Amino acid sequence: NKTVTDYEDATFHLDARNHQFIEISAKWTVKQLELRQITPAGPGQILYLHCGFANGGTIKHTANAKTLTNSFYFANGRDYTMRANTIYQFIFSGVKGQWMTMQAAI
């Protein structure tokens, strides 16, 4: 149940193996949120992301995990826009090998 509050990675890849909640905030050196991958602890992991950037951010959709492991899959086939100051809930699918959104938690 750790929280990541400061992060810098030009590849937009987070490691959530030891985290259940990640807070993405203006403290980050990278000022525009664009997530592509999050390394999971394993299938069924539930992860909460808090988007604290004033302009929100984008989570990139990937058609399948063979293209990009530990990526995101959205049923509509499009990138997902995160609103500022909102918490989103994701679950890692062992079947798809990708993160899937469950809902905007708050």
Side-chain angles (χ1 to χ4, degrees), residues 4 7 9 11-22 35-49 59 68-72 90-93 97-99:
V4 176
Y7 177 79
D9 184 349
T11 65
F12 305 106
H13 182 174
L14 293 174
D15 187 336
R17 288 177 285 188
N18 295 317
H19 304 289
Q20 190 173 32
F21 180 87
I22 296 176
L35 286 178
R36 295 182 185 274
Q37 296 171 277
I38 297 179
T39 302
Q45 178 182 0
I46 294 175
L47 179 68
Y48 297 91
L49 292 178
I59 298 178
L68 188 63
T69 60
N70 304 328
S71 57
F72 293 85
F90 296 89
I91 187 166
F92 190 78
S93 168
Q98 293 177 290
W99 291 95

Side-chain angles (χ1 to χ4, degrees), residues 6-7 24 26 29-30 34 46 48 61 71 74 86 102 106:
D6 194 14
Y7 177 79
I24 300 162
T29 302
V30 177
E34 184 178 296
I46 294 175
Y48 297 91
H61 166 80
S71 57
F74 303 114
T86 303
M102 293 179 69
I106 296 178

Side-chain angles (χ1 to χ4, degrees), residues 21-33:
F21 180 87
I22 296 176
E23 180 179 4
I24 300 162
S25 71
K27 295 177 184 177
W28 284 20
T29 302
V30 177
K31 298 299 182 191
Q32 182 177 355
L33 173 63

Side-chain angles (χ1 to χ4, degrees), residues 46-99:
I46 294 175
L47 179 68
Y48 297 91
L49 292 178
H50 172 243
C51 182
F53 281 121
N55 294 329
T58 303
I59 298 178
K60 295 293 187 177
H61 166 80
T62 302
N64 64 63
K66 291 179 184 176
T67 306
L68 188 63
T69 60
N70 304 328
S71 57
F72 293 85
Y73 177 86
F74 303 114
N76 65 6
R78 294 183 298 200
D79 295 345
Y80 192 81
T81 301
M82 296 178 76
R83 294 187 327 230
N85 296 313
T86 303
I87 297 173
Y88 295 86
Q89 184 181 43
F90 296 89
I91 187 166
F92 190 78
S93 168
V95 174
K96 289 203 67 69
Q98 293 177 290
W99 291 95

